[in-house]
Structure formats: structure tokens, C-alpha cells
Amino acid sequence: MKKLILSVFFFLVSLAISLSVFAEKKILHFATEALYPPFEFMSAHNEIKGFDIDLAKALCQKMQIECVFVNQAFDSLIPSLKSRRIDAVIAGLDITPERSKQVAFTIPYCKNSALFIIQTGKFSGIGDLNGKRVGMQNGSTHQKFLIDKHPEMIPISYSTYQNAILDLQNGRLDAVFGDTAAVNQWLIRNPTLGALGNKITDSDYFGVGLGIAVKQTDDLLLNKLNEAIKKIKDDGSCDRIYKNCFLRADFINE
């Protein structure tokens, strides 16, 4: 009985400490990968810009806290969060059952789906990609989807989508598979590329939406972010940020 009482006591003490630490926190550290425009990218002035960044700043304003951004490789984002080197991840992350076993996600802040792109006129349907080389980002939901659902295709992993697009244009890839919102921007900037097939919204991989990831034990931060997301949706800020970032073709040239 004494052991049980002591265990409960130490749990309450640790919880109180974690809550007080966040209450005193003045800066929220986000990690992202600034190589995925228009979600996040490096401007000509070497600043991290994009939809996710503008949205995170709007959330921090609602929470009355300062936010800073750390740029790192996509496949290192969740490990960094789990090791407590950062507070949250915002990087166009699909909310999936597998990721939810490792981190806690906010409510979705953006709808999502996925799409194949090819050199215009090269193929007529997704079935034509049987035995073909399809590029996607390493560690992404797109990579897992292709491996699980399309073993007939040859998945080629890249550290960044920019390199995948270059290889597609140069004929070293047959297709690239990515987020529909990002893909549409690539198509605007690359008239020789086109979409193949319909948008994919498999709820185990896409379709649920994009969320901000926090540590599974960080309930206070999760609740504050959820409240802030609801506020920017209700006051129209989220829609304005989306239109500003996704309806422009010059987002990289800032």
C-alpha cells in the first residue's frame, strides 16, 4: 500500500513539474524540413518560410508565446521529438495510425490526399507504372503506401522531393508520388509534368489530414495547440494563410 501511495505521489509531482515547465515556457521550438514547398522552404534570405510556418506563427500568437523553427532531415523529425530535443513537429505530417503509436497529433489543420505525377503523356493510367521507378521522400507516408499497396512498382527513396523532381524531368524516374497540395505547385512551375490518375485518400495513409506532432506525454501543449487551431479556423486566419501560400506560383522566389 505504501509503495502504491509513493508511486501516486511521485507521478503527481512529475506531472506538476511538467505543467509548470510549460506554463513558464516563453518559446515553443518547432522542427520542420524546409525542403517541401509550399509547406516549408528556405527563402532567398535563408529564412524558413511556407504554409506550415505561417500557420505555426498564427497558433503561437493565439497562445501568446514565441515560436522558433529548426530545420532538419524529414526522417529525423519524430526521433528528435521523442528524444525531447524539440517541442513539436510541423512538416506536412499525415496523421496515421502508425505514427500515432509514437507521437500525439493535434486535430487536423489541413485536409490532404496524394497524387502521382509523370512527364506529360508518358502514361495513361496508374496501372502503367507496373515495374516502373517511382520516387518519394524517405520516411514519408508516400513511401509506406507504395511499399504496402503497390509492390509491383519500384520505390526510389530521396532525401528531398526536389531531387526526385529533377530525376523525373531528366528521365531517371518514371513518376513521383507526393502530397496533392505540393504536387499542384510543382505542376504550376513545371509545364512538362502532369498528374496521373485520381487523388488518393486512403484513410490509413492520407485523407485524415495533416497534424502537428507533440510528445505523447505532453497533454497540456496538445490541448493548447488544439484550442489555437480551432480559433484560427473560426476567425478565418487558416483559410487566409492557405490561400496566400497555395494559390501562388512564385513562393520560392521570395
Side-chain angles (χ1 to χ4, degrees), residues 26-64:
K26 301 298 182 184
I27 300 176
L28 185 57
H29 293 86
F30 283 97
T32 192
E33 186 224 27
L35 292 169
Y36 196 46
F39 285 101
E40 40 270 322
F41 60 93
M42 298 302 296
S43 73
H45 303 291
N46 205 34
E47 297 175 324
I48 303 178
K49 298 275 191 177
F51 170 68
D52 281 340
I53 307 308
D54 289 348
L55 184 131
K57 289 178 178 178
L59 296 177
C60 287
Q61 186 176 29
K62 295 294 185 184
M63 296 164 61
Q64 297 183 326

Side-chain angles (χ1 to χ4, degrees), residues 36-40 50-56 59 89-96 99 105-114 141 179-185 199-203 205-213 225-226 228-230 232-234 237-247:
Y36 196 46
F39 285 101
E40 40 270 322
F51 170 68
D52 281 340
I53 307 308
D54 289 348
L55 184 131
L59 296 177
V89 173
I90 186 164
L93 283 180
D94 294 292
I95 300 172
T96 66
R99 284 176 177 159
F105 278 105
T106 62
I107 59 175
Y109 63 84
C110 183
K111 294 180 180 179
N112 197 31
S113 59
T141 314
D179 287 309
T180 301
V183 163
N184 285 334
Q185 296 294 332
K199 294 186 291 186
I200 297 171
T201 58
D202 189 319
S203 61
Y205 302 87
F206 322 103
V208 174
L210 306 181
I212 299 171
L225 284 168
N226 281 337
I229 290 172
K230 291 175 183 176
I232 66 170
K233 285 185 175 182
D234 289 343
S237 300
C238 190
D239 285 341
R240 287 192 294 272
I241 294 169
Y242 184 91
K243 290 176 181 178
N244 182 56
C245 292
F246 284 93
L247 301 183

Side-chain angles (χ1 to χ4, degrees), residues 18-240:
S18 64
L19 292 177
S20 64
V21 167
F22 182 78
E24 295 173 0
K25 186 183 287 293
K26 301 298 182 184
I27 300 176
L28 185 57
H29 293 86
F30 283 97
T32 192
E33 186 224 27
L35 292 169
Y36 196 46
F39 285 101
E40 40 270 322
F41 60 93
M42 298 302 296
S43 73
H45 303 291
N46 205 34
E47 297 175 324
I48 303 178
K49 298 275 191 177
F51 170 68
D52 281 340
I53 307 308
D54 289 348
L55 184 131
K57 289 178 178 178
L59 296 177
C60 287
Q61 186 176 29
K62 295 294 185 184
M63 296 164 61
Q64 297 183 326
I65 191 172
E66 181 184 353
C67 55
V68 297
F69 302 92
V70 179
N71 181 24
Q72 56 188 68
F74 185 83
D75 55 8
S76 72
L77 294 174
I78 288 180
S80 291
L81 179 62
K82 293 172 67 177
S83 64
R84 298 179 180 274
R85 290 196 291 269
I86 53 173
D87 300 310
V89 173
I90 186 164
L93 283 180
D94 294 292
I95 300 172
T96 66
E98 182 172 334
R99 284 176 177 159
S100 296
K101 295 176 183 177
Q102 303 182 69
V103 299
F105 278 105
T106 62
I107 59 175
Y109 63 84
C110 183
K111 294 180 180 179
N112 197 31
S113 59
L115 194 65
F116 289 93
I117 60 171
I118 58 170
Q119 290 187 14
T120 303
K122 188 173 181 179
F123 303 107
S124 58
I126 293 178
D128 294 340
L129 295 179
N130 190 343
K132 302 301 182 181
R133 294 164 59 88
V134 180
M136 84 298 297
Q137 189 169 45
N138 188 47
S140 67
T141 314
H142 310 97
Q143 181 185 48
K144 180 169 175 53
F145 177 85
L146 283 188
I147 292 173
D148 292 350
K149 299 293 186 178
H150 288 286
E152 76 279 6
M153 299 179 188
I154 303 172
I156 307 297
S157 301
Y158 288 82
S159 59
T160 72
Y161 269 106
Q162 279 87 341
N163 292 334
I165 294 297
L166 286 175
D167 277 1
L168 176 61
Q169 291 175 314
N170 294 328
R172 290 189 287 269
L173 281 179
D174 298 295
V176 169
F177 187 49
D179 287 309
T180 301
V183 163
N184 285 334
Q185 296 294 332
W186 303 337
L187 297 182
I188 290 172
R189 299 183 63 81
N190 299 281
T192 61
L193 303 180
L196 181 68
N198 298 319
K199 294 186 291 186
I200 297 171
T201 58
D202 189 319
S203 61
D204 287 335
Y205 302 87
F206 322 103
V208 174
L210 306 181
I212 299 171
V214 302
K215 294 180 284 292
Q216 288 186 327
T217 56
D218 209 342
D219 292 337
L220 183 60
L221 176 57
L222 183 66
N223 291 335
K224 285 184 175 290
L225 284 168
N226 281 337
E227 290 173 6
I229 290 172
K230 291 175 183 176
K231 288 179 181 178
I232 66 170
K233 285 185 175 182
D234 289 343
D235 68 13
S237 300
C238 190
D239 285 341
R240 287 192 294 272

